Amino acid sequence: MKRVILLGLLALGAVMVLLPFLWMVSVSLKPQEEIFTASARLVPRAPTLANYWQALTQTSIPRYLLNGVIVTGGILVLQVLVSVPCAYALAHRDFRGRGLLFAAILAALLAPFHVTAIPIFLGLARLGWLNSYAALILPFTATAFGLFLLRQAFGRIPGELIDAARVDGLSEMAIAWRIAFPLAMPTVIAFAIFSVTAHWNDLFWPMIATTDPQLATPPRGILFFRDAESGDNPGPLMAGAVLITAPLVLAFLLSQRRFTQGLANTGLKG
Amino acid sequence: MNRRESLTNLVLAGPAALALVLFIFLPVAVVFVLAFTDYQIGAPGMGWVGLDNFSKLFGSRLGRNAILNTLTYVAIVIPASVGLGLLVALGLHALARSLPRIAAILKAVYFLPVAATLVAMAVSWQMLLHPSLGLVNGWASALGLPAPLWLSDRSLVLYTLAGIGVWQTVGYNMVLFLAGLAAIQPALYDAAEVDGASRGWSRFWLVTWPMLGPTTLFVLVVTAASAFRVFETVATLTKGGPAFASDTIVYALYREGFVYFKAGYASAITVVFFIALLLLTALQVWVVERKVHYR
């Protein structure tokens, strides 16, 4: 009996958590006249894929999705390219300023992106780089969090293994990429999940760095789309919202354990 | 160390170090300088104004309103999302022994909002809470309840946004609490039972709650830090309105800096926001330290 009550309460909570998702899918499947009836129903009477067809063919949603892939992909590639050699040097090489660099990384962890936004905006404006993919991607090259995470992972690789690679004649750059990087793959994946989730979902910086709808990332784009339609056309809007949410939600459902650990261990939230 | 070695180190660590300076340390320094100027984006020059921007933020009705709204939002989201996160985690932890598959599915459902794109979900919330077309008021009027204007009633809008904030963060806290629960050794419960604590409540107060102490403190601080940054739902659903009833610190910094181009004033808001977060982080470090000693 106790177990039934427990299960019931948890299921009720789960339904409340799911409600916005269900409603989003429900509205996206309804024909316009059904959306605009006063008696709202969760289950569509006459489900149709017309809204999805409209969102994909007559709106800029595909463009936003493409921008999302370009921007999150660009950020991730740049972050990994810059961080892996540095994290390797921090973990397995001795050099002047190593302690200082590590202290700087710890300090940089404290500054959320909001704090640096105004000066970076001013700098990009001076260079004439606003409204470009570069403006959306470049400011995230420096990732204190990625550097920290990778350094910890590389530090767990035995020094003998690195020395053996040196004896075999591998260059330091080659050791970083061909020995350390593959061995730290679980950490790299956890960081990739964190980075892609944060930047796919980010609204703050795209709202600042770009005004051109052609450059809008998915969250920015959905606002352009909503404001242009001014609420007259919720069906395609909801279909667009589903399309934009789907990639990360599907990735989460397919690799739940990695995803929850990746996000929970990283302090990413909201 | 020979020259070649130094060059190797520079090639390996140089780009990342340069990026850290260029995109984090330099901007943070600049924002602290700008906070004491009247700089307007696009203006030819600027003047020093001392603490004027700060006295404007704390002295004006609008500035105080943004700070107060943020604190109210935080004060609702913290207890609600931490409390619910704990309850869900306790429930799922108990359920996992008898019905592991259902517990796993429920866990995924509760975590879903953390992974979902908040702006898209906010648009869905807007439709859900729509006065005439939305499901919530549809159900309310079917039950004979009043149908409030969730997002356009000045006395209600902040609470609605806080509700969405709770909805979004419960799953995250649940995961942290589940990890904390998994780390409690069963021997402790056996020992409690020997001491006569066999009922649910006494087990909870004697073993579970004290053992979860460090996790709880950590969850509290992380939740506070994320609630302080509330931006997406405000920008998507209310733009701080109606009549600044849902204006918050980060939204005010965005509006003053990038809509009105008052870089100096927006920098002062940024500095206040940053210092508040630093204090929270100091608290968090202290908590983690204690957690380490605890074990």
Side-chain angles (χ1 to χ4, degrees):
Chain A
M1 187 61 207
K2 230 165 133 185
R3 199 196 296 166
V4 174
I5 295 173
L6 178 66
L7 186 60
L9 285 174
L10 285 171
L12 186 71
V15 170
M16 280 163 69
V17 170
L18 272 182
L19 195 58
F21 292 94
L22 299 174
W23 187 241
M24 183 167 79
V25 175
S26 160
V27 174
S28 76
L29 292 173
K30 286 177 180 173
Q32 194 167 11
E33 59 277 9
E34 197 181 330
I35 297 171
F36 283 100
T37 50
S39 56
R41 281 165 48 99
L42 193 54
V43 183
R45 242 180 275 266
T48 161
L49 287 174
N51 291 323
Y52 286 89
W53 181 246
Q54 201 182 332
L56 283 171
T57 57
Q58 289 164 42
T59 76
S60 302
I61 299 277
R63 173 93 213 181
Y64 305 149
L65 290 168
L66 179 68
N67 288 341
V69 172
I70 293 172
V71 171
T72 51
I75 289 172
L76 181 62
V77 167
L78 210 56
Q79 285 176 332
V80 169
L81 272 180
V82 169
S83 303
V84 164
C86 180
Y88 165 71
L90 281 169
H92 287 285
R93 290 177 64 84
D94 196 17
F95 57 94
R96 212 157 30 129
R98 188 176 75 159
L100 179 71
L101 182 57
F102 190 60
I105 290 167
L106 293 180
L109 277 173
L110 297 172
F113 187 74
H114 309 84
V115 175
T116 55
I118 294 170
I120 290 180
F121 174 86
L122 294 174
L124 290 171
R126 173 131 328 163
L127 293 169
W129 286 3
L130 291 173
N131 271 319
S132 67
Y133 285 119
L136 290 167
I137 295 171
L138 281 179
F140 300 103
T141 312
T143 162
F145 179 67
L147 284 165
F148 179 78
L149 216 59
L150 286 170
R151 194 207 83 111
Q152 301 305 90
F154 290 168
R156 287 191 290 270
I157 299 172
E160 295 83 33
L161 197 64
I162 307 287
D163 287 336
R166 283 182 184 138
V167 171
D168 283 352
L170 250 66
S171 75
E172 291 295 296
M173 200 50 112
I175 297 173
W177 286 108
R178 287 168 46 195
I179 311 282
F181 182 64
L183 283 174
M185 209 29 103
T187 304
V188 174
I189 290 170
F191 173 69
I193 288 170
F194 161 81
S195 172
V196 168
T197 311
H199 296 294
W200 182 272
N201 292 341
D202 183 37
L203 176 68
F204 187 73
W205 184 245
M207 253 172 100
I208 291 167
T210 57
T211 47
D212 180 358
Q214 286 299 303
L215 287 169
T217 56
R220 183 71 194 96
I222 200 99
L223 293 189
F224 273 127
F225 180 43
R226 184 194 60 179
D227 297 343
E229 301 288 331
S230 65
D232 299 335
N233 218 351
L237 176 65
M238 285 297 133
V242 171
L243 291 170
I244 277 164
T245 317
L248 284 188
V249 165
L250 289 180
F252 163 64
L253 292 175
L254 289 176
S255 60
Q256 278 180 46
R257 177 161 302 201
R258 281 222 152 119
F259 225 90
T260 30
Q261 282 173 355
L263 294 190
N265 295 341
T266 56
L268 173 94
K269 188 175 172 185
Chain B
M1 199 177 284
N2 64 39
R3 187 183 260 167
R4 214 182 129 166
E5 285 284 297
S6 318
L7 193 66
T8 308
N9 290 328
L10 194 66
V11 170
L12 289 169
L18 182 70
L20 281 173
V21 170
L22 212 56
F23 294 117
I24 298 178
F25 291 106
L26 194 63
V28 168
V30 170
V31 96
F32 270 86
V33 173
L34 282 176
F36 299 96
T37 71
D38 61 1
Y39 184 57
Q40 300 248 354
I41 292 171
M46 61 173 123
W48 292 98
V49 295
L51 292 171
D52 277 10
N53 289 323
F54 293 95
S55 54
K56 185 178 164 198
L57 174 61
F58 290 106
S60 68
R61 241 187 56 193
L62 256 181
R64 276 207 304 266
N65 173 58
I67 293 170
L68 209 67
N69 281 345
T70 308
L71 293 176
T72 311
Y73 179 92
V74 173
I76 300 167
V77 170
I78 290 177
S81 95
V82 174
L84 286 172
L86 176 61
L87 282 178
V88 173
L90 286 170
L92 288 182
H93 191 69
L95 200 66
R97 254 169 286 148
S98 47
L99 300 164
R101 296 202 67 154
I102 292 179
I105 292 170
L106 288 175
K107 182 182 158 194
V109 169
Y110 280 104
F111 193 78
L112 212 51
V114 185
T117 304
L118 185 54
V119 173
M121 297 319 298
V123 172
S124 175
W125 272 106
Q126 192 174 30
M127 278 300 289
L128 203 56
L129 299 172
H130 192 283
S132 55
L133 307 175
L135 196 62
V136 171
N137 283 7
W139 284 349
S141 58
L143 292 169
L145 296 167
L149 299 169
W150 299 99
L151 291 165
S152 46
D153 182 335
R154 277 168 61 183
S155 56
L156 196 62
V157 60
L158 196 59
Y159 301 99
T160 307
L161 291 182
I164 298 175
V166 173
W167 167 83
Q168 205 227 341
T169 50
V170 164
Y172 183 89
N173 294 343
M174 168 205 72
V175 166
L176 294 180
F177 277 125
L178 278 173
L181 285 170
I184 300 176
Q185 281 161 19
L188 287 171
Y189 289 107
D190 299 341
E193 199 156 338
V194 171
D195 289 349
S198 54
R199 301 286 306 268
W201 269 120
S202 45
R203 279 163 59 96
F204 177 80
W205 285 117
L206 270 170
V207 181
T208 314
W209 180 243
M211 288 308 289
L212 277 183
T215 308
T216 309
L217 283 168
F218 183 74
V219 171
L220 278 174
V221 178
V222 175
T223 306
S226 84
F228 261 114
R229 293 176 213 195
V230 58
F231 175 77
E232 270 88 355
T233 44
V234 180
T236 305
L237 294 174
T238 66
K239 296 195 165 72
F244 296 100
S246 63
D247 198 27
T248 61
I249 293 248
V250 175
Y251 192 73
L253 119 72
Y254 164 77
R255 170 166 35 77
E256 298 297 335
F258 302 102
V259 180
Y260 300 140
F261 299 123
K262 290 190 222 157
Y265 183 47
S267 297
I269 302 177
T270 307
V271 166
V272 170
F273 165 73
F274 188 31
I275 290 173
L277 274 183
L278 283 182
L279 290 176
L280 262 176
T281 311
L283 188 68
Q284 184 175 345
V285 169
W286 182 75
V287 164
V288 171
E289 283 287 304
R290 287 193 27 142
K291 189 176 174 181
V292 173
H293 293 311
Y294 191 86
R295 281 191 175 157

